[in-house]
Amino acid sequence: MMDLIIKNGTVITAKDTFKADIGVRDGKIEVITRSLDQMEAKQIIDATGNYVLPGALDAHTHLEMPFGGTVSSDSYEAGTRAAACGGTTTVFDFVIQGKGQGLVEAVEGRRALCEPQACVDYSFHTAITDLTPAVLKEFKQAVDYGINSFKVFMVYKKEGLMVDDGVMVRAMIRAKEVGARVSVHAENPDVIDMNIENFLKEGKTHAWYHYLSRPEYAEAEADKRAIHWAKSFNVPLYIVHLACKEGMDEVTRARQEGYDVIAETCPQYLYFTNEVYKREDGRNFVCSPPIKGPESQDALWDGIKRGDISIVATDHCPFQSYEKDWGKDDFTKIPNGCMGVENMYPYMLSEANRGRISFNKAVEVCSTNVAQLFGCAPQKGTIAPGSDADLVIYDPEKTYVISKDNMHSDVDYTIWEGVELKGYPVMTFSRGKLVYDNGQFVGEKGWGEFVKRTPLT
Ligand code: URP
Ligand code: ZN
Ligand code: ZN
Ligand code: ZN
C-alpha cells in the first residue's frame, strides 16, 4: 500500500524524459515503473497529458529580512506558501550575521523564526558581515550544522553589509578548507556612490537613475574582481544574481580554464530589460544589481544554454508599494528587491514550453543543479527512488496570466502582472503531501523542514 501514486504522467528530470508511474511512501519516492496499476494507494492521481517534475529549489530568497530601512514583505509563511504554489519545494534563505554574532547562533535565530511558519522545506546561506578569527574558525561548525555556503556583499556600505577584498578572500580560502563555497553580490560600491552623488546634485531622481548609477560596467568590474581572486587562490566561487554580459563572459572564460566558478541569474534579468526603469512604476523593479540591457539578457540566456549559468534563482525580496513609493522622488530611498518565488519555475518552464530551452534544462537550472552544487542531492532535486517526493504536476496546455490576485505572497503588487505563461503547475507535493492544488494553497504552515546539507567535495 502506497501513500500516493501518480499515474500516467511524463516524468522529466535534468537528464531524462519518460512515461512512468511513481509510488510514494513516507514522504519518499519508493518506486518508479512503467505501471503501478496493480498497486493500491491512499491517494491516486492520474497525470495523463501532464508532466511530472521535481520541485524547484530556490537558491536565493530574502524572507522577512531587515533591509533598506524596513523588512522584506513576505514572512517565512507567506514566502514559502507562494513558493509551494509556484512548484518550489525548497527555499534557501539568507541569514545575515549580526555584528559580533556567531554564525550558528545567527542561523539558529532565523531557524526558530522560520520553523513554525515554513510551508515547504528550507535551508540557509549565511551572509558574513563581521569576519573575526573566531568566525573564520566557526565556518567548520557551520558546515557541520548543515550550512556549506557563505555569502559576502561587495556593496551595501550604509546597510553595514559590505566587506572588503581582504575579508572576501579570507572567507573564500577558509570556505574551501571546510567544504563550503563563498557566494558574492558583485558590484563596485565606489563608482556607484560617485554616480549617485552626481545624479542627485543634478536633480536626477527617477528610478531610471538607479539603473544609470549602477549600469553594466559597475557590475562587470566586481564580477571580474571576484573571479580574479577565486582564480588567484584557486578557490570555489558562486556569483549570485549575475546580470551583465561582461560578467557572463568572464565566468565562461574561468570555467573554460577549469576553475570552480559558478553563476546564478534570476528570472527578472531574463524577462525584463532596463527599459522598465523608465516606466512610471519603474521603482517597483528596483533591485541590485539592476536589470540590464538586451545584450546582457541575450548573453545570460546563451550562458544558460551553454551550461555556464548553473542556477536560476529568484532573489525574492519584495517590498509593499507604499515602501517602494518612498523613492518616488529619490531613487536612493527605494528599498532594493523584487518578487519572484512563485514565478521562477512557471516562467522557466513556460520558456521551455515555447521552445527556448528544453524542459530538462529548466529542471536542471531550477532544481537539480541547486541540490547538487549545495550538498542536498539526491534527497532533493530529482525524481529517483529514495529521493524526497517533492513533485510538481505540470499542465503544458494551460494558459496562465500572472496577476497579484492569483499570487500567494503578501505583497500588494507584482512586477510580473499581466505576463502570460504557456503551461502551469497544477499540483505541488512536498514530501508526498499535496500543498498546491489548481490555484489553491492547501498545505500548512510548520510543515516545512530544515534541510541539512553535506560538505562539498
Ligand atoms: O535588490 C536586491 N537584490 N535586494 C536583495 C538583497 C540582495 O542584494 O540580494
Ligand atoms: Zn499506468
Ligand atoms: Zn544581492
Ligand atoms: Zn539577494
Side-chain angles (χ1 to χ4, degrees):
M1 180 82 166
M2 293 283 165
D3 293 327
L4 166 70
I5 289 178
I6 300 174
K7 298 174 65 68
N8 306 322
T10 299
V11 176
I12 300 180
T13 66
K15 291 263 176 294
D16 297 304
T17 303
F18 55 97
K19 281 221 182 309
D21 294 357
I22 299 175
V24 172
R25 189 155 35 197
D26 297 331
K28 302 264 184 211
I29 296 169
E30 189 160 305
V31 56
I32 305 170
T33 182
R34 191 78 200 104
S35 172
L36 285 172
D37 289 353
Q38 307 308 317
M39 182 79 77
E40 286 184 49
K42 292 177 194 154
Q43 187 180 17
I44 296 180
I45 306 286
D46 185 358
T48 303
N50 290 338
Y51 301 158
V52 186
L53 315 160
L57 289 82
D58 188 344
H60 191 155
T61 69
H62 302 278
L63 303 177
E64 54 184 287
M65 184 178 86
F67 190 63
T70 179
V71 176
S72 62
S73 325
D74 270 341
S75 63
Y76 281 109
E77 180 184 351
T80 56
R81 181 179 68 215
C85 297
T88 289
T89 46
T90 307
V91 300
F92 286 52
D93 199 58
F94 281 91
V95 171
I96 312 282
Q97 176 206 12
K99 302 285 177 196
Q101 197 179 30
L103 299 180
V104 174
E105 178 197 355
V107 170
E108 288 198 317
R110 295 298 286 188
R111 184 174 170 179
L113 194 61
C114 179
E115 200 164 70
Q117 298 189 57
C119 305
V120 295
D121 292 349
Y122 55 92
S123 182
F124 297 106
H125 309 286
T126 48
I128 309 294
T129 64
D130 193 7
L131 192 74
T132 61
V135 167
L136 267 177
K137 198 159 166 245
E138 208 202 350
F139 274 33
K140 174 76 173 77
Q141 278 90 318
V143 169
D144 291 343
Y145 188 92
I147 309 289
N148 58 27
S149 42
F150 305 101
K151 159 100 163 272
V152 295
F153 291 94
M154 296 167 82
V155 285
Y156 298 142
K157 200 183 309 173
K158 71 177 189 309
E159 290 85 351
L161 301 176
M162 188 175 107
V163 304
D164 61 26
D165 288 11
V167 167
M168 176 162 68
V169 172
R170 280 181 178 85
M172 286 170 160
I173 293 169
R174 177 65 178 150
K176 184 181 181 181
E177 282 169 11
V178 296
R181 176 181 294 280
V182 163
S183 64
V184 299
H185 173 139
E187 288 184 292
N188 183 303
D190 304 322
V191 168
I192 292 169
D193 282 351
M194 178 193 76
N195 285 340
I196 290 175
E197 200 180 298
N198 290 339
F199 286 138
L200 291 184
K201 251 189 243 158
E202 294 162 14
K204 294 173 172 165
T205 59
H206 187 265
W208 174 241
Y209 294 97
H210 170 74
Y211 164 69
L212 282 185
S213 66
R214 45 210 314 155
E216 280 75 352
Y217 63 73
E219 181 189 330
E221 183 278 334
D223 289 331
K224 291 185 197 174
R225 181 156 38 104
I227 292 169
H228 173 78
W229 293 134
K231 283 164 66 164
S232 299
F233 291 91
N234 196 18
V235 290
L237 172 66
Y238 181 80
I239 300 188
V240 299
H241 50 43
L242 185 82
C244 73
K245 179 179 185 308
E246 242 183 290
M248 183 73 255
D249 291 345
E250 198 68 12
V251 167
T252 304
R253 191 169 309 123
R255 291 171 65 83
Q256 282 168 352
E257 291 165 357
Y259 291 99
D260 185 2
V261 172
I262 292 171
E264 161 202 291
T265 193
C266 311
Q268 57 272 29
Y269 304 125
L270 295 170
Y271 182 73
F272 301 103
T273 68
N274 55 357
E275 287 293 312
V276 293
Y277 296 114
K278 295 179 179 165
R279 284 166 47 164
E280 172 48 35
D281 65 345
R283 60 189 168 279
N284 289 346
F285 295 81
V286 163
C287 58
S288 292
I291 298 165
K292 306 298 199 312
E295 208 193 338
S296 283
Q297 186 178 82
D298 289 346
L300 296 173
W301 274 111
D302 289 344
I304 288 175
K305 291 177 197 168
R306 278 198 314 276
D308 289 320
I309 294 243
S310 306
I311 291 177
V312 174
T314 65
D315 196 12
H316 183 81
C317 189
F319 297 95
Q320 303 292 3
S321 48
Y322 81 88
E323 293 165 315
K324 289 288 195 184
D325 289 351
W326 293 337
K328 237 179 173 144
D329 303 312
D330 178 352
F331 68 90
T332 65
K333 299 201 164 63
I334 305 166
N336 283 205
C338 295
M339 61 283 291
V341 76
E342 192 167 349
N343 312 109
M344 171 183 76
Y345 210 24
Y347 169 67
M348 292 303 289
L349 293 168
S350 173
E351 290 295 320
N353 210 4
R354 291 186 166 129
R356 188 170 209 161
I357 51 172
S358 67
F359 277 97
N360 309 92
K361 181 54 113 175
V363 169
E364 181 191 318
V365 294
C366 296
S367 178
T368 312
N369 279 354
V370 185
Q372 287 182 354
L373 293 167
F374 285 112
C376 56
Q379 180 195 350
K380 301 292 188 191
T382 193
I383 297 181
S387 294
D388 283 356
D390 293 344
L391 298 167
V392 173
I393 299 183
Y394 180 83
D395 179 355
E397 302 297 333
K398 209 179 166 99
T399 299
Y400 193 93
V401 182
I402 302 171
S403 163
K404 77 169 173 51
D405 300 327
N406 55 26
M407 292 290 98
H408 296 81
S409 80
D410 276 344
V411 194
D412 63 349
Y413 68 97
T414 170
I415 59 167
W416 295 90
E417 187 73 38
V419 173
E420 195 177 303
L421 301 181
K422 183 178 179 197
Y424 209 75
V426 287
M427 285 181 180
T428 306
F429 294 88
S430 164
R431 282 177 283 107
K433 176 188 169 71
L434 185 64
V435 292
Y436 171 76
D437 187 8
N438 280 288
Q440 304 298 320
F441 174 69
V442 296
E444 58 182 286
K445 64 174 190 171
W447 167 260
E449 287 179 357
F450 175 69
V451 179
K452 186 171 192 290
R453 296 185 280 124
T454 52
L456 310 174
T457 48

